[in-house]
Amino acid sequence: MDKSVIKERDFSPLGRSSILGVNIDRLTMSESVDKALDLIGGGGCHQHVVVNAAKMVAASEDSTLRSTINSCAMINADGQSVVWASKFLGDPLPERVAGIDFMNALVDASASAGFSIYLLGAKAEVVKSVAEVFTKRGANIAGYHDGYWRSSIQDTELVQKISASGANVLFVAIPSPDKELFLARYLSDLGVNLAVGVGGSFDVVAGLTRRAPVAMQRAGLEWLFRLMQEPRRMFKRYLVGNLKFMRLIVWAHFRSRREV
């Protein structure tokens, strides 16, 4: 992908915290859903992104990813560690807006508002299962496609397919930073009003993976539950990545104190 095609769109930074150079909206879950509905109903093409410790570290090292995130119309803190960091740095966020919870809330809100949805990502059988689950909940599913399209069709063919579906909302469940860069490049051609990256949420909806107990979620330990489920795959992301995030936050804190 040619990263030179990515340009920052002009969205006001008012009402946003800034952590390690990444802007994050000061929104609760309900406020986030309301803003999303406003963006969908208002027309235009908008991108939503969630950030966690791993993505914050990646953005601190990759100016293209950081620029892409900051250009999004909505940026939520998916990780509790990001919320804690915002408070430690004196620029607090109100709460964590978990990506999967936001997706589920927006699915139901879109059903009530009459907005249609396109699903992109995961394995073919998984995304099909998610479409069936959401349809039973009253969602209007305009179409879906697995996340391995590059083995059979080109990006432009898929973009045309999504645009032709007439969907208002696009949920994208492919890894970072691929989904952020893909959406930034093709957003205006996709024809959707709001494109939302949802990571591994489709696997949870389809019943392939489980979320942490509510108590662990509230304690900010959902990462530990995922690590226990997939230790080999998640070790680098959570243990190594979280330690690096903590070092960056502590350094940012002491640097800000020296500048006062």
PDB file of all heavy atoms in Angstrom, residues 32-33 36-37 40 101-111 115 117 169 171 194 196:
ATOM      1  N   SER A  32     -20.526   8.346  22.661  1.00  0.00           N
ATOM      2  CA  SER A  32     -19.883   7.848  21.444  1.00  0.00           C
ATOM      3  C   SER A  32     -20.916   7.326  20.449  1.00  0.00           C
ATOM      4  O   SER A  32     -20.830   7.596  19.249  1.00  0.00           O
ATOM      5  CB  SER A  32     -18.887   6.731  21.787  1.00  0.00           C
ATOM      6  OG  SER A  32     -17.828   7.218  22.579  1.00  0.00           O
ATOM      7  N   VAL A  33     -21.894   6.588  20.950  1.00  0.00           N
ATOM      8  CA  VAL A  33     -22.950   6.082  20.069  1.00  0.00           C
ATOM      9  C   VAL A  33     -23.753   7.236  19.489  1.00  0.00           C
ATOM     10  O   VAL A  33     -24.077   7.245  18.289  1.00  0.00           O
ATOM     11  CB  VAL A  33     -23.870   5.102  20.837  1.00  0.00           C
ATOM     12  CG1 VAL A  33     -25.052   4.679  19.952  1.00  0.00           C
ATOM     13  CG2 VAL A  33     -23.076   3.873  21.266  1.00  0.00           C
ATOM     14  N   ALA A  36     -21.739   8.847  16.789  1.00  0.00           N
ATOM     15  CA  ALA A  36     -21.697   7.987  15.614  1.00  0.00           C
ATOM     16  C   ALA A  36     -22.987   8.110  14.802  1.00  0.00           C
ATOM     17  O   ALA A  36     -22.962   8.214  13.571  1.00  0.00           O
ATOM     18  CB  ALA A  36     -21.479   6.530  16.035  1.00  0.00           C
ATOM     19  N   LEU A  37     -24.117   8.119  15.484  1.00  0.00           N
ATOM     20  CA  LEU A  37     -25.399   8.257  14.802  1.00  0.00           C
ATOM     21  C   LEU A  37     -25.505   9.615  14.104  1.00  0.00           C
ATOM     22  O   LEU A  37     -26.048   9.712  12.993  1.00  0.00           O
ATOM     23  CB  LEU A  37     -26.553   8.075  15.790  1.00  0.00           C
ATOM     24  CG  LEU A  37     -26.720   6.672  16.375  1.00  0.00           C
ATOM     25  CD1 LEU A  37     -27.825   6.666  17.430  1.00  0.00           C
ATOM     26  CD2 LEU A  37     -27.018   5.641  15.291  1.00  0.00           C
ATOM     27  N   ILE A  40     -23.417   9.378  10.943  1.00  0.00           N
ATOM     28  CA  ILE A  40     -24.091   8.562   9.922  1.00  0.00           C
ATOM     29  C   ILE A  40     -25.247   9.340   9.304  1.00  0.00           C
ATOM     30  O   ILE A  40     -25.391   9.406   8.081  1.00  0.00           O
ATOM     31  CB  ILE A  40     -24.612   7.242  10.532  1.00  0.00           C
ATOM     32  CG1 ILE A  40     -23.451   6.410  11.084  1.00  0.00           C
ATOM     33  CG2 ILE A  40     -25.378   6.429   9.478  1.00  0.00           C
ATOM     34  CD1 ILE A  40     -23.888   5.260  11.969  1.00  0.00           C
ATOM     35  N   ASP A 101     -18.000  -3.470  22.698  1.00  0.00           N
ATOM     36  CA  ASP A 101     -19.212  -2.907  23.300  1.00  0.00           C
ATOM     37  C   ASP A 101     -19.773  -1.791  22.428  1.00  0.00           C
ATOM     38  O   ASP A 101     -20.997  -1.677  22.253  1.00  0.00           O
ATOM     39  CB  ASP A 101     -18.916  -2.375  24.701  1.00  0.00           C
ATOM     40  CG  ASP A 101     -18.561  -3.481  25.686  1.00  0.00           C
ATOM     41  OD1 ASP A 101     -19.034  -4.621  25.480  1.00  0.00           O
ATOM     42  OD2 ASP A 101     -17.811  -3.208  26.638  1.00  0.00           O
ATOM     43  N   PHE A 102     -18.874  -0.977  21.872  1.00  0.00           N
ATOM     44  CA  PHE A 102     -19.307   0.088  20.972  1.00  0.00           C
ATOM     45  C   PHE A 102     -19.957  -0.508  19.726  1.00  0.00           C
ATOM     46  O   PHE A 102     -21.009  -0.038  19.274  1.00  0.00           O
ATOM     47  CB  PHE A 102     -18.119   0.957  20.580  1.00  0.00           C
ATOM     48  CG  PHE A 102     -18.443   2.020  19.559  1.00  0.00           C
ATOM     49  CD1 PHE A 102     -19.141   3.168  19.920  1.00  0.00           C
ATOM     50  CD2 PHE A 102     -18.068   1.864  18.230  1.00  0.00           C
ATOM     51  CE1 PHE A 102     -19.454   4.140  18.978  1.00  0.00           C
ATOM     52  CE2 PHE A 102     -18.372   2.833  17.282  1.00  0.00           C
ATOM     53  CZ  PHE A 102     -19.064   3.970  17.650  1.00  0.00           C
ATOM     54  N   MET A 103     -19.354  -1.557  19.165  1.00  0.00           N
ATOM     55  CA  MET A 103     -19.924  -2.207  17.981  1.00  0.00           C
ATOM     56  C   MET A 103     -21.324  -2.738  18.272  1.00  0.00           C
ATOM     57  O   MET A 103     -22.266  -2.504  17.503  1.00  0.00           O
ATOM     58  CB  MET A 103     -19.024  -3.347  17.512  1.00  0.00           C
ATOM     59  CG  MET A 103     -19.574  -4.099  16.291  1.00  0.00           C
ATOM     60  SD  MET A 103     -18.608  -5.571  15.847  1.00  0.00           S
ATOM     61  CE  MET A 103     -19.059  -6.676  17.202  1.00  0.00           C
ATOM     62  N   ASN A 104     -21.476  -3.449  19.366  1.00  0.00           N
ATOM     63  CA  ASN A 104     -22.779  -4.018  19.701  1.00  0.00           C
ATOM     64  C   ASN A 104     -23.827  -2.934  19.917  1.00  0.00           C
ATOM     65  O   ASN A 104     -24.978  -3.064  19.473  1.00  0.00           O
ATOM     66  CB  ASN A 104     -22.661  -4.895  20.947  1.00  0.00           C
ATOM     67  CG  ASN A 104     -22.169  -6.295  20.643  1.00  0.00           C
ATOM     68  OD1 ASN A 104     -22.609  -6.918  19.683  1.00  0.00           O
ATOM     69  ND2 ASN A 104     -21.237  -6.777  21.445  1.00  0.00           N
ATOM     70  N   ALA A 105     -23.445  -1.860  20.602  1.00  0.00           N
ATOM     71  CA  ALA A 105     -24.381  -0.766  20.833  1.00  0.00           C
ATOM     72  C   ALA A 105     -24.764  -0.090  19.520  1.00  0.00           C
ATOM     73  O   ALA A 105     -25.931   0.278  19.309  1.00  0.00           O
ATOM     74  CB  ALA A 105     -23.768   0.253  21.795  1.00  0.00           C
ATOM     75  N   LEU A 106     -23.793   0.070  18.624  1.00  0.00           N
ATOM     76  CA  LEU A 106     -24.073   0.731  17.356  1.00  0.00           C
ATOM     77  C   LEU A 106     -24.906  -0.151  16.435  1.00  0.00           C
ATOM     78  O   LEU A 106     -25.727   0.360  15.657  1.00  0.00           O
ATOM     79  CB  LEU A 106     -22.761   1.117  16.664  1.00  0.00           C
ATOM     80  CG  LEU A 106     -22.884   1.989  15.406  1.00  0.00           C
ATOM     81  CD1 LEU A 106     -23.696   3.252  15.682  1.00  0.00           C
ATOM     82  CD2 LEU A 106     -21.493   2.341  14.872  1.00  0.00           C
ATOM     83  N   VAL A 107     -24.720  -1.462  16.514  1.00  0.00           N
ATOM     84  CA  VAL A 107     -25.558  -2.382  15.734  1.00  0.00           C
ATOM     85  C   VAL A 107     -27.021  -2.198  16.122  1.00  0.00           C
ATOM     86  O   VAL A 107     -27.901  -2.059  15.263  1.00  0.00           O
ATOM     87  CB  VAL A 107     -25.119  -3.846  15.954  1.00  0.00           C
ATOM     88  CG1 VAL A 107     -26.184  -4.817  15.435  1.00  0.00           C
ATOM     89  CG2 VAL A 107     -23.797  -4.117  15.249  1.00  0.00           C
ATOM     90  N   ASP A 108     -27.305  -2.197  17.416  1.00  0.00           N
ATOM     91  CA  ASP A 108     -28.692  -2.052  17.878  1.00  0.00           C
ATOM     92  C   ASP A 108     -29.245  -0.665  17.566  1.00  0.00           C
ATOM     93  O   ASP A 108     -30.409  -0.518  17.166  1.00  0.00           O
ATOM     94  CB  ASP A 108     -28.765  -2.330  19.380  1.00  0.00           C
ATOM     95  CG  ASP A 108     -28.437  -3.779  19.719  1.00  0.00           C
ATOM     96  OD1 ASP A 108     -28.610  -4.646  18.833  1.00  0.00           O
ATOM     97  OD2 ASP A 108     -27.987  -4.046  20.855  1.00  0.00           O
ATOM     98  N   ALA A 109     -28.411   0.366  17.748  1.00  0.00           N
ATOM     99  CA  ALA A 109     -28.860   1.725  17.457  1.00  0.00           C
ATOM    100  C   ALA A 109     -29.118   1.908  15.965  1.00  0.00           C
ATOM    101  O   ALA A 109     -30.067   2.595  15.562  1.00  0.00           O
ATOM    102  CB  ALA A 109     -27.809   2.736  17.933  1.00  0.00           C
ATOM    103  N   SER A 110     -28.291   1.296  15.127  1.00  0.00           N
ATOM    104  CA  SER A 110     -28.476   1.383  13.678  1.00  0.00           C
ATOM    105  C   SER A 110     -29.751   0.675  13.249  1.00  0.00           C
ATOM    106  O   SER A 110     -30.455   1.133  12.340  1.00  0.00           O
ATOM    107  CB  SER A 110     -27.270   0.765  12.954  1.00  0.00           C
ATOM    108  OG  SER A 110     -26.105   1.518  13.184  1.00  0.00           O
ATOM    109  N   ALA A 111     -30.057  -0.430  13.900  1.00  0.00           N
ATOM    110  CA  ALA A 111     -31.292  -1.154  13.594  1.00  0.00           C
ATOM    111  C   ALA A 111     -32.503  -0.271  13.889  1.00  0.00           C
ATOM    112  O   ALA A 111     -33.445  -0.204  13.096  1.00  0.00           O
ATOM    113  CB  ALA A 111     -31.354  -2.448  14.399  1.00  0.00           C
ATOM    114  N   PHE A 115     -30.411   2.254   9.716  1.00  0.00           N
ATOM    115  CA  PHE A 115     -29.150   2.281   8.982  1.00  0.00           C
ATOM    116  C   PHE A 115     -28.697   0.860   8.670  1.00  0.00           C
ATOM    117  O   PHE A 115     -28.808  -0.042   9.514  1.00  0.00           O
ATOM    118  CB  PHE A 115     -28.059   2.989   9.797  1.00  0.00           C
ATOM    119  CG  PHE A 115     -28.356   4.436  10.077  1.00  0.00           C
ATOM    120  CD1 PHE A 115     -28.112   4.974  11.332  1.00  0.00           C
ATOM    121  CD2 PHE A 115     -28.884   5.263   9.097  1.00  0.00           C
ATOM    122  CE1 PHE A 115     -28.376   6.312  11.603  1.00  0.00           C
ATOM    123  CE2 PHE A 115     -29.160   6.599   9.353  1.00  0.00           C
ATOM    124  CZ  PHE A 115     -28.909   7.124  10.612  1.00  0.00           C
ATOM    125  N   ILE A 117     -25.802  -2.129   7.429  1.00  0.00           N
ATOM    126  CA  ILE A 117     -24.455  -2.475   7.873  1.00  0.00           C
ATOM    127  C   ILE A 117     -23.788  -3.448   6.906  1.00  0.00           C
ATOM    128  O   ILE A 117     -24.429  -4.384   6.409  1.00  0.00           O
ATOM    129  CB  ILE A 117     -24.513  -3.113   9.279  1.00  0.00           C
ATOM    130  CG1 ILE A 117     -25.021  -2.100  10.311  1.00  0.00           C
ATOM    131  CG2 ILE A 117     -23.170  -3.687   9.688  1.00  0.00           C
ATOM    132  CD1 ILE A 117     -25.344  -2.718  11.660  1.00  0.00           C
ATOM    133  N   VAL A 169     -23.026   1.807   7.420  1.00  0.00           N
ATOM    134  CA  VAL A 169     -21.980   1.519   8.399  1.00  0.00           C
ATOM    135  C   VAL A 169     -21.161   0.326   7.925  1.00  0.00           C
ATOM    136  O   VAL A 169     -21.719  -0.671   7.453  1.00  0.00           O
ATOM    137  CB  VAL A 169     -22.573   1.200   9.787  1.00  0.00           C
ATOM    138  CG1 VAL A 169     -21.459   0.961  10.807  1.00  0.00           C
ATOM    139  CG2 VAL A 169     -23.492   2.324  10.251  1.00  0.00           C
ATOM    140  N   PHE A 171     -18.238  -2.304   9.384  1.00  0.00           N
ATOM    141  CA  PHE A 171     -17.408  -2.824  10.469  1.00  0.00           C
ATOM    142  C   PHE A 171     -16.273  -3.631   9.850  1.00  0.00           C
ATOM    143  O   PHE A 171     -16.524  -4.547   9.058  1.00  0.00           O
ATOM    144  CB  PHE A 171     -18.222  -3.710  11.414  1.00  0.00           C
ATOM    145  CG  PHE A 171     -19.220  -2.964  12.251  1.00  0.00           C
ATOM    146  CD1 PHE A 171     -20.586  -3.217  12.132  1.00  0.00           C
ATOM    147  CD2 PHE A 171     -18.806  -2.009  13.170  1.00  0.00           C
ATOM    148  CE1 PHE A 171     -21.510  -2.526  12.900  1.00  0.00           C
ATOM    149  CE2 PHE A 171     -19.729  -1.310  13.949  1.00  0.00           C
ATOM    150  CZ  PHE A 171     -21.082  -1.568  13.809  1.00  0.00           C
ATOM    151  N   LEU A 194     -19.973   5.732   7.919  1.00  0.00           N
ATOM    152  CA  LEU A 194     -19.069   5.524   9.044  1.00  0.00           C
ATOM    153  C   LEU A 194     -18.408   4.155   8.925  1.00  0.00           C
ATOM    154  O   LEU A 194     -19.084   3.130   8.820  1.00  0.00           O
ATOM    155  CB  LEU A 194     -19.822   5.604  10.374  1.00  0.00           C
ATOM    156  CG  LEU A 194     -18.960   5.480  11.635  1.00  0.00           C
ATOM    157  CD1 LEU A 194     -17.969   6.643  11.735  1.00  0.00           C
ATOM    158  CD2 LEU A 194     -19.828   5.426  12.893  1.00  0.00           C
ATOM    159  N   VAL A 196     -15.867   1.532  10.839  1.00  0.00           N
ATOM    160  CA  VAL A 196     -15.458   1.253  12.221  1.00  0.00           C
ATOM    161  C   VAL A 196     -14.549   0.039  12.263  1.00  0.00           C
ATOM    162  O   VAL A 196     -14.949  -1.058  11.854  1.00  0.00           O
ATOM    163  CB  VAL A 196     -16.690   1.009  13.117  1.00  0.00           C
ATOM    164  CG1 VAL A 196     -16.258   0.770  14.567  1.00  0.00           C
ATOM    165  CG2 VAL A 196     -17.674   2.162  13.023  1.00  0.00           C
TER     166      VAL A 196
END
